[in-house]
Amino acid sequence: MNFDQPSNIEQPGKNREKLLALEKEGKYVFHGSPEQIEILEPRQAEGKNEVTGEMERDGAPAVFATQYADMAIFRALVNAKGVFEDSESSFGIDDDGLHFSATRNLLEAAKRKTGKVYVLDRSKFDQLEAMQCRSHGSVAPLQAVEVTYDDLPKNIRIIES
């Protein structure tokens, strides 16, 4: 595989197939973003304190990635960028596999977006939990794959607001 050549969208939904094939190799992790990124730099994660409801720092700054291509595709396209009304999305994993949910407005906005899934060397990451890996140093992507609405996983549940 030639990682020096930029990926093009050949046919709708086909880049998901490419990413899933890379996932099966087990040598890569993925980071989804709506932005063009040359080098992924560590960022401070935040989480909601269950007791106070306030957002607070969650661990040391890191580059976060996932071993699941579908998760990165979802994060690259289903986000609040360019969405001005209330919106919500979530994802997780259980015995039945990955699951996703989003408000209708986020999915409608995703139809007009192009996102990037960054393919990263798995050996540069520590496993943090079932869906997430992290690196405390900067990481250069091996490849950036453009994704569109047609690349999204099909099992996204609509959150009714």
Side-chain angles (χ1 to χ4, degrees), residues 31 40-43 61-65 120 125 133-139:
H31 179 90
L40 284 83
E41 300 287 343
R43 300 279 187 250
V63 173
F64 294 91
L120 310 166
F125 286 79
C133 306
R134 70 175 170 208
S135 174
H136 292 291
S138 300
V139 181

Side-chain angles (χ1 to χ4, degrees), residues 7 19 22 42 45-46 53 61 71 77 93 97 114 123 128 138 150 155:
S7 176
L19 290 165
L22 289 172
E46 292 187 337
M71 185 74 59
L77 295 167
I93 190 169
T114 299
S123 70
L128 184 59
S138 300
D150 293 318
N155 64 332

